[in-house]
Amino acid sequence: MAGRDIEPESGTVYLVGSGPGDPELLTVKAKRLLERADVVLHDKLPGPEIIELLPADRREDVGKRAGGERTPQSAINERLVELASEGKSVVRLKGGDSFVFGRGGEEAQYLAAHEIPFEVVPAVTSAIAAPAVAGIPVTHRDHASSVSFVTGHEDPTKDESAVDWAALAATGGTIVVLMGVGRLPDYTAALREAGMDPETPVALVERGTWPGQQVATGTLETIVDVRDEEGIEPPAVTVIGDVAGTRESVVDFLRNDSTGAVDAPEDR
Ligand code: SAH
């Protein structure tokens, strides 16, 4: 497929989502911009396979500083403005979609405030893709008519928590939690306290579409133990709802694990 054969504009920032990590899930547009931009600012979330594709002399890892600390968002914002002001074409590459828990919105506002032209390049979010490659549709005619994407980063017990877990429990729809490995015990408890059935199926999908993708399943009651037994670590999404139970009916024929082979029975 030819695509639009155009060079990235100088002095412009492209806010590009990488998709969940499989290089084949980059959009055609993202791939073209990555190949041709003067510089690519990225962190670790696009995953090892996509980061490996980036030309070493034209990329800057803004995920971590030398001491292992996160680069503050303000420093990334300033760097984007600096590079664009020098006349460079700049790709700001984020895991998944930049505008889904990706701070892409903040970057867009900062660029606009500094009169830097920018383009948003939407992508496949891990919130949908990670469940999908585990065989879990986030909606299903028989099981869920709505889906909510929420951050698990917050303490559900704090009064001013921005996530209303009780309201989410009441929707009866699927809940997909991002950044929710650490606080899994807190929000699964909050959902049970809000009256959600403890038998509700829950799945954890770690490193969806990356080498080493891992899927673990349980219920609202058991999933914390499952997490610990299976050693699930970030980045992972938590899928809560009856749709998570449908994995069982498709997994024998699902070829989405990282090796392209069917899961060994003991891994299920
Ligand atoms: N903008 C991203 C989300 C960034 S927040 C997107 O649209 O996907 C970071 C969280 O994203 C992680 O904590 C994890 O919950 C999730 N995540 C990102 N990539 C993932 C992947 N390949 N597999 C599972 N979860 C992933």
Side-chain angles (χ1 to χ4, degrees), residues 17-22 45-47 70 94-104 123-131 133 150-153 176-181 204-210 213-214 233-238:
S18 71
D22 176 350
L45 204 57
R70 266 174 171 274
K94 298 280 197 140
D97 183 283
S98 313
F99 275 17
V100 179
F101 297 120
R103 306 190 77 163
V124 178
T125 177
S126 70
I128 295 171
V133 296
V150 298
T151 171
H153 206 57
V176 179
V177 188
L178 283 79
M179 298 171 279
V181 177
L204 295 167
V205 186
E206 177 185 335
R207 288 179 285 175
T209 82
W210 298 20
Q213 169 181 307
Q214 213 186 328
E233 285 178 8
V237 299
T238 311

Side-chain angles (χ1 to χ4, degrees), residues 20-202:
D22 176 350
E24 293 202 290
L25 293 176
L26 282 164
T27 62
V28 174
K29 189 166 200 167
K31 186 164 177 287
R32 170 172 64 78
L33 290 167
L34 290 173
E35 284 165 358
R36 300 191 192 179
D38 293 324
V39 54
V40 179
L41 267 64
H42 70 93
D43 49 46
K44 297 276 186 282
L45 204 57
E49 292 185 300
I50 289 175
I51 291 169
E52 205 170 278
L53 293 177
L54 304 176
D57 56 337
R58 291 192 285 113
R59 71 178 176 94
E60 286 182 23
D61 185 347
V62 293
K64 291 243 169 79
R65 279 195 162 158
E69 279 168 40
R70 266 174 171 274
T71 310
Q73 185 64 43
S74 57
I76 297 171
N77 292 346
E78 284 161 24
R79 185 71 181 136
L80 291 173
V81 169
E82 184 180 42
L83 288 163
S85 302
E86 288 169 7
K88 300 239 163 52
S89 58
V90 186
V91 166
R92 171 63 175 126
L93 185 69
K94 298 280 197 140
D97 183 283
S98 313
F99 275 17
V100 179
F101 297 120
R103 306 190 77 163
E106 291 164 52
E107 290 173 358
Q109 287 176 308
Y110 190 89
L111 293 168
H114 289 77
E115 301 182 351
I116 302 291
F118 68 95
E119 187 171 335
V120 182
V121 181
V124 178
T125 177
S126 70
I128 295 171
V133 296
I136 302 168
V138 292
T139 68
H140 187 300
R141 239 153 34 103
D142 300 333
H143 300 289
S145 318
S146 70
V147 53
S148 304
F149 301 120
V150 298
T151 171
H153 206 57
E154 297 197 14
D155 180 355
T157 58
K158 78 176 181 197
D159 289 342
E160 70 279 18
S161 171
V163 180
D164 186 340
W165 293 97
L168 286 171
T171 67
T174 307
I175 305 169
V176 179
V177 188
L178 283 79
M179 298 171 279
V181 177
R183 291 205 184 274
L184 184 70
D186 303 311
Y187 61 83
T188 50
L191 290 169
R192 290 198 312 266
E193 273 159 35
M196 205 166 183
D197 185 352
E199 297 297 318
T200 304
V202 181

